[in-house]
Amino acid sequence: MSNDLAGVWEVALSDGVHRIEFEHGTTTGKRVIYVDGKEILRRDWMFKLVGKETFSVGKSETKATINIDAVSGFAYEYTLEINGKSLKKYMENRSKVTSTWVLNLDGTDCRVVLEKDTMDVWCNGQNIETAGEFVDDGTETHFSLGDHNCCVKAVSSGKRRDGIIHTLLVDGTEIAECTE
């Protein structure tokens, strides 16, 4: 990488946290985008220094756009949008549609993500096979991580505002949810 690094963002998706880096050569017009250290887009000798670059991130090929705007003179502002929303708005919305837990199993760090709309479960970037069942107080989604029995319990909070509460149990022990 050169010294034209203009922006770095961390984006948490279901398949993991991705690092996006953007180089902008304001004298050469060069634009380079790296996702997780891998160059995915390069444009040399761009005469228009402002504009946008669109690319995809992660296994689900989530749409990302870097906007390049002139602020004053030769100063530029770089903003990242994910699925058409500012990164901040996207992450706020994401916390409503996913639950994330980080835990250590047998010496390995695991990042478990539940997509609440589809009830898909991801662990360290892999979509996990699950079995769902209805129980007296809600639903249970069962899956295995190594030799560990895991279950996401979905139970009504009893309050309309709070909605459904999702809890991860690993071998019967509740794991605290983390905020990303």
Side-chain angles (χ1 to χ4, degrees), residues 38-75:
K38 183 175 168 230
E39 183 179 308
I40 60 153
L41 185 138
R42 176 180 287 271
R43 299 191 201 286
D44 289 309
W45 301 106
M46 300 277 297
F47 293 105
K48 190 173 180 199
L49 293 177
V50 295
K52 54 178 61 180
E53 294 294 346
T54 300
F55 55 101
S56 51
V57 180
K59 290 184 179 173
S60 59
E61 298 194 357
T62 302
K63 181 181 158 202
T65 302
I66 295 174
N67 296 302
I68 308 151
D69 297 303
V71 181
S72 65
F74 288 101

Short mmCIF file of all heavy atoms in Angstrom, two decimals, residues 38-75:
data_model
loop_
_atom_site.label_atom_id
_atom_site.label_comp_id
_atom_site.label_asym_id
_atom_site.label_seq_id
_atom_site.Cartn_x
_atom_site.Cartn_y
_atom_site.Cartn_z
N LYS A 38 -7.04 -7.43 0.41
CA LYS A 38 -6.98 -7.87 -0.99
C LYS A 38 -7.48 -6.75 -1.90
O LYS A 38 -8.58 -6.22 -1.70
CB LYS A 38 -7.85 -9.12 -1.17
CG LYS A 38 -7.82 -9.70 -2.55
CD LYS A 38 -8.61 -11.01 -2.60
CE LYS A 38 -8.82 -11.42 -4.04
NZ LYS A 38 -10.18 -11.72 -4.36
N GLU A 39 -6.67 -6.40 -2.89
CA GLU A 39 -7.06 -5.34 -3.82
C GLU A 39 -8.22 -5.84 -4.68
O GLU A 39 -8.14 -6.88 -5.32
CB GLU A 39 -5.88 -4.98 -4.71
CG GLU A 39 -6.18 -3.85 -5.67
CD GLU A 39 -4.99 -3.48 -6.54
OE1 GLU A 39 -3.89 -3.24 -5.99
OE2 GLU A 39 -5.17 -3.45 -7.77
N ILE A 40 -9.34 -5.07 -4.66
CA ILE A 40 -10.50 -5.49 -5.45
C ILE A 40 -10.85 -4.49 -6.55
O ILE A 40 -11.63 -4.81 -7.44
CB ILE A 40 -11.74 -5.73 -4.56
CG1 ILE A 40 -12.12 -4.47 -3.81
CG2 ILE A 40 -11.53 -6.90 -3.61
CD1 ILE A 40 -13.58 -4.43 -3.46
N LEU A 41 -10.29 -3.29 -6.48
CA LEU A 41 -10.56 -2.30 -7.51
C LEU A 41 -9.38 -1.35 -7.62
O LEU A 41 -8.84 -0.92 -6.61
CB LEU A 41 -11.83 -1.51 -7.18
CG LEU A 41 -12.31 -0.51 -8.23
CD1 LEU A 41 -13.82 -0.60 -8.37
CD2 LEU A 41 -11.88 0.89 -7.90
N ARG A 42 -8.98 -1.05 -8.85
CA ARG A 42 -7.91 -0.07 -9.08
C ARG A 42 -8.25 0.73 -10.33
O ARG A 42 -8.58 0.16 -11.37
CB ARG A 42 -6.56 -0.76 -9.27
CG ARG A 42 -5.43 0.22 -9.63
CD ARG A 42 -4.11 -0.48 -9.82
NE ARG A 42 -3.55 -0.92 -8.56
CZ ARG A 42 -2.77 -0.20 -7.78
NH1 ARG A 42 -2.45 1.03 -8.13
NH2 ARG A 42 -2.31 -0.69 -6.65
N ARG A 43 -8.19 2.03 -10.18
CA ARG A 43 -8.35 2.93 -11.32
C ARG A 43 -7.20 3.92 -11.28
O ARG A 43 -7.00 4.59 -10.27
CB ARG A 43 -9.67 3.68 -11.26
CG ARG A 43 -10.90 2.80 -11.30
CD ARG A 43 -12.15 3.64 -11.51
NE ARG A 43 -13.37 2.99 -11.11
CZ ARG A 43 -13.98 2.00 -11.75
NH1 ARG A 43 -13.45 1.54 -12.86
NH2 ARG A 43 -15.10 1.49 -11.31
N ASP A 44 -6.45 3.99 -12.36
CA ASP A 44 -5.34 4.94 -12.44
C ASP A 44 -5.71 6.08 -13.38
O ASP A 44 -6.51 5.92 -14.31
CB ASP A 44 -4.08 4.23 -12.96
CG ASP A 44 -3.51 3.27 -11.92
OD1 ASP A 44 -3.33 3.70 -10.77
OD2 ASP A 44 -3.27 2.09 -12.26
N TRP A 45 -5.15 7.24 -13.13
CA TRP A 45 -5.29 8.41 -13.99
C TRP A 45 -6.74 8.81 -14.20
O TRP A 45 -7.21 9.00 -15.31
CB TRP A 45 -4.57 8.21 -15.33
CG TRP A 45 -3.12 7.95 -15.11
CD1 TRP A 45 -2.48 6.76 -15.24
CD2 TRP A 45 -2.15 8.89 -14.64
NE1 TRP A 45 -1.16 6.90 -14.88
CE2 TRP A 45 -0.93 8.20 -14.52
CE3 TRP A 45 -2.19 10.25 -14.31
CZ2 TRP A 45 0.23 8.82 -14.08
CZ3 TRP A 45 -1.02 10.86 -13.88
CH2 TRP A 45 0.16 10.15 -13.78
N MET A 46 -7.47 8.91 -13.09
CA MET A 46 -8.83 9.43 -13.14
C MET A 46 -8.75 10.96 -13.13
O MET A 46 -8.16 11.54 -12.22
CB MET A 46 -9.65 8.97 -11.93
CG MET A 46 -9.80 7.47 -11.78
SD MET A 46 -11.11 6.81 -12.77
CE MET A 46 -12.52 7.62 -12.07
N PHE A 47 -9.31 11.60 -14.14
CA PHE A 47 -9.23 13.06 -14.19
C PHE A 47 -10.26 13.71 -13.30
O PHE A 47 -10.07 14.83 -12.83
CB PHE A 47 -9.36 13.55 -15.64
CG PHE A 47 -8.18 13.12 -16.46
CD1 PHE A 47 -8.29 12.09 -17.37
CD2 PHE A 47 -6.94 13.73 -16.29
CE1 PHE A 47 -7.19 11.68 -18.10
CE2 PHE A 47 -5.84 13.32 -17.01
CZ PHE A 47 -5.96 12.29 -17.93
N LYS A 48 -11.36 13.01 -13.04
CA LYS A 48 -12.38 13.53 -12.13
C LYS A 48 -12.04 13.00 -10.73
O LYS A 48 -12.10 11.80 -10.48
CB LYS A 48 -13.76 13.05 -12.58
CG LYS A 48 -14.89 13.71 -11.84
CD LYS A 48 -16.23 13.33 -12.44
CE LYS A 48 -17.33 14.03 -11.66
NZ LYS A 48 -18.60 13.43 -11.86
N LEU A 49 -11.69 13.90 -9.82
CA LEU A 49 -11.23 13.48 -8.50
C LEU A 49 -12.38 13.19 -7.54
O LEU A 49 -12.18 12.56 -6.51
CB LEU A 49 -10.31 14.54 -7.89
CG LEU A 49 -8.97 14.71 -8.62
CD1 LEU A 49 -8.17 15.84 -7.99
CD2 LEU A 49 -8.18 13.42 -8.59
N VAL A 50 -13.59 13.66 -7.84
CA VAL A 50 -14.74 13.37 -6.99
C VAL A 50 -15.61 12.33 -7.68
O VAL A 50 -15.46 12.06 -8.86
CB VAL A 50 -15.56 14.65 -6.67
CG1 VAL A 50 -14.73 15.61 -5.84
CG2 VAL A 50 -16.07 15.30 -7.93
N GLY A 51 -16.54 11.74 -6.92
CA GLY A 51 -17.42 10.73 -7.49
C GLY A 51 -17.65 9.62 -6.51
O GLY A 51 -17.57 9.81 -5.30
N LYS A 52 -17.91 8.42 -7.05
CA LYS A 52 -18.16 7.28 -6.17
C LYS A 52 -17.63 6.01 -6.80
O LYS A 52 -17.53 5.91 -8.02
CB LYS A 52 -19.64 7.15 -5.82
CG LYS A 52 -20.58 7.10 -6.99
CD LYS A 52 -22.04 6.92 -6.58
CE LYS A 52 -22.54 8.05 -5.74
NZ LYS A 52 -23.92 7.94 -5.32
N GLU A 53 -17.31 5.06 -5.94
CA GLU A 53 -16.86 3.73 -6.36
C GLU A 53 -17.74 2.70 -5.65
O GLU A 53 -17.87 2.75 -4.43
CB GLU A 53 -15.39 3.49 -6.02
CG GLU A 53 -14.41 4.37 -6.77
CD GLU A 53 -14.37 4.12 -8.27
OE1 GLU A 53 -14.90 3.07 -8.72
OE2 GLU A 53 -13.82 4.96 -8.99
N THR A 54 -18.33 1.81 -6.41
CA THR A 54 -19.22 0.78 -5.85
C THR A 54 -18.57 -0.59 -6.03
O THR A 54 -17.98 -0.88 -7.07
CB THR A 54 -20.60 0.84 -6.53
OG1 THR A 54 -21.15 2.14 -6.30
CG2 THR A 54 -21.55 -0.19 -5.96
N PHE A 55 -18.69 -1.42 -5.00
CA PHE A 55 -18.08 -2.75 -4.99
C PHE A 55 -18.87 -3.63 -4.03
O PHE A 55 -19.81 -3.16 -3.39
CB PHE A 55 -16.60 -2.67 -4.58
CG PHE A 55 -16.38 -1.98 -3.27
CD1 PHE A 55 -16.16 -2.71 -2.12
CD2 PHE A 55 -16.41 -0.59 -3.17
CE1 PHE A 55 -15.96 -2.08 -0.89
CE2 PHE A 55 -16.21 0.04 -1.96
CZ PHE A 55 -15.99 -0.70 -0.82
N SER A 56 -18.52 -4.91 -3.94
CA SER A 56 -19.24 -5.78 -3.01
C SER A 56 -18.29 -6.32 -1.94
O SER A 56 -17.09 -6.43 -2.16
CB SER A 56 -19.94 -6.92 -3.74
OG SER A 56 -19.06 -7.59 -4.59
N VAL A 57 -18.89 -6.63 -0.77
CA VAL A 57 -18.13 -7.06 0.40
C VAL A 57 -18.75 -8.34 0.94
O VAL A 57 -19.97 -8.45 1.04
CB VAL A 57 -18.20 -5.98 1.52
CG1 VAL A 57 -17.43 -6.43 2.75
CG2 VAL A 57 -17.70 -4.65 1.02
N GLY A 58 -17.90 -9.30 1.31
CA GLY A 58 -18.36 -10.50 2.01
C GLY A 58 -18.97 -11.55 1.10
O GLY A 58 -19.16 -11.36 -0.09
N LYS A 59 -19.30 -12.67 1.74
CA LYS A 59 -19.85 -13.82 1.01
C LYS A 59 -21.22 -13.53 0.41
O LYS A 59 -21.57 -14.08 -0.62
CB LYS A 59 -19.94 -15.04 1.93
CG LYS A 59 -18.58 -15.59 2.28
CD LYS A 59 -18.66 -16.85 3.10
CE LYS A 59 -17.26 -17.36 3.38
NZ LYS A 59 -17.23 -18.46 4.29
N SER A 60 -21.98 -12.65 1.06
CA SER A 60 -23.31 -12.31 0.53
C SER A 60 -23.23 -11.19 -0.50
O SER A 60 -24.25 -10.73 -1.00
CB SER A 60 -24.24 -11.92 1.67
OG SER A 60 -23.70 -10.81 2.37
N GLU A 61 -22.00 -10.77 -0.83
CA GLU A 61 -21.76 -9.71 -1.81
C GLU A 61 -22.61 -8.47 -1.52
O GLU A 61 -23.32 -7.96 -2.38
CB GLU A 61 -21.96 -10.23 -3.24
CG GLU A 61 -20.97 -11.33 -3.57
CD GLU A 61 -20.88 -11.64 -5.05
OE1 GLU A 61 -21.63 -11.05 -5.85
OE2 GLU A 61 -20.04 -12.48 -5.40
N THR A 62 -22.51 -8.00 -0.29
CA THR A 62 -23.21 -6.79 0.14
C THR A 62 -22.66 -5.59 -0.62
O THR A 62 -21.45 -5.42 -0.74
CB THR A 62 -23.00 -6.60 1.66
OG1 THR A 62 -23.50 -7.78 2.33
CG2 THR A 62 -23.74 -5.39 2.18
N LYS A 63 -23.58 -4.76 -1.12
CA LYS A 63 -23.18 -3.59 -1.92
C LYS A 63 -22.59 -2.50 -1.03
O LYS A 63 -23.20 -2.11 -0.03
CB LYS A 63 -24.39 -3.05 -2.68
CG LYS A 63 -24.08 -1.87 -3.56
CD LYS A 63 -25.32 -1.37 -4.27
CE LYS A 63 -25.13 0.07 -4.68
NZ LYS A 63 -26.36 0.78 -4.90
N ALA A 64 -21.42 -2.02 -1.42
CA ALA A 64 -20.76 -0.93 -0.70
C ALA A 64 -20.38 0.16 -1.70
O ALA A 64 -20.03 -0.14 -2.84
CB ALA A 64 -19.51 -1.45 0.02
N THR A 65 -20.46 1.41 -1.26
CA THR A 65 -20.09 2.55 -2.10
C THR A 65 -19.25 3.52 -1.29
O THR A 65 -19.62 3.87 -0.17
CB THR A 65 -21.35 3.28 -2.62
OG1 THR A 65 -22.16 2.35 -3.35
CG2 THR A 65 -20.99 4.44 -3.53
N ILE A 66 -18.13 3.93 -1.86
CA ILE A 66 -17.32 4.98 -1.26
C ILE A 66 -17.62 6.26 -2.04
O ILE A 66 -17.47 6.30 -3.26
CB ILE A 66 -15.82 4.66 -1.30
CG1 ILE A 66 -15.53 3.43 -0.43
CG2 ILE A 66 -15.00 5.87 -0.83
CD1 ILE A 66 -14.10 2.94 -0.50
N ASN A 67 -18.08 7.29 -1.33
CA ASN A 67 -18.35 8.59 -1.93
C ASN A 67 -17.16 9.50 -1.70
O ASN A 67 -16.64 9.58 -0.58
CB ASN A 67 -19.61 9.23 -1.31
CG ASN A 67 -20.84 8.40 -1.60
OD1 ASN A 67 -21.18 8.16 -2.74
ND2 ASN A 67 -21.51 7.98 -0.55
N ILE A 68 -16.73 10.18 -2.76
CA ILE A 68 -15.60 11.10 -2.69
C ILE A 68 -16.15 12.49 -3.00
O ILE A 68 -16.64 12.73 -4.11
CB ILE A 68 -14.51 10.73 -3.72
CG1 ILE A 68 -14.14 9.25 -3.58
CG2 ILE A 68 -13.30 11.64 -3.59
CD1 ILE A 68 -13.67 8.62 -4.86
N ASP A 69 -16.11 13.37 -2.01
CA ASP A 69 -16.65 14.72 -2.19
C ASP A 69 -15.58 15.75 -1.87
O ASP A 69 -14.80 15.58 -0.93
CB ASP A 69 -17.85 14.95 -1.24
CG ASP A 69 -19.00 14.00 -1.56
OD1 ASP A 69 -19.47 14.00 -2.70
OD2 ASP A 69 -19.39 13.25 -0.65
N ALA A 70 -15.57 16.84 -2.65
CA ALA A 70 -14.66 17.95 -2.37
C ALA A 70 -15.24 18.76 -1.22
O ALA A 70 -16.43 19.06 -1.21
CB ALA A 70 -14.50 18.82 -3.61
N VAL A 71 -14.39 19.08 -0.25
CA VAL A 71 -14.85 19.87 0.89
C VAL A 71 -14.49 21.33 0.65
O VAL A 71 -15.34 22.20 0.66
CB VAL A 71 -14.23 19.36 2.21
CG1 VAL A 71 -14.74 20.18 3.39
CG2 VAL A 71 -14.54 17.90 2.42
N SER A 72 -13.21 21.58 0.40
CA SER A 72 -12.76 22.93 0.05
C SER A 72 -11.38 22.82 -0.58
O SER A 72 -10.55 22.03 -0.13
CB SER A 72 -12.70 23.83 1.29
OG SER A 72 -11.72 23.35 2.17
N GLY A 73 -11.17 23.58 -1.64
CA GLY A 73 -9.87 23.55 -2.31
C GLY A 73 -9.49 22.15 -2.71
O GLY A 73 -10.17 21.51 -3.50
N PHE A 74 -8.40 21.65 -2.13
CA PHE A 74 -7.95 20.29 -2.45
C PHE A 74 -8.16 19.33 -1.28
O PHE A 74 -7.43 18.35 -1.12
CB PHE A 74 -6.48 20.31 -2.87
CG PHE A 74 -6.29 20.92 -4.22
CD1 PHE A 74 -5.85 22.23 -4.34
CD2 PHE A 74 -6.59 20.22 -5.36
CE1 PHE A 74 -5.69 22.82 -5.58
CE2 PHE A 74 -6.44 20.78 -6.61
CZ PHE A 74 -5.99 22.10 -6.73
N ALA A 75 -9.17 19.62 -0.45
CA ALA A 75 -9.52 18.72 0.66
C ALA A 75 -10.72 17.88 0.24
O ALA A 75 -11.65 18.38 -0.41
CB ALA A 75 -9.84 19.53 1.91
#
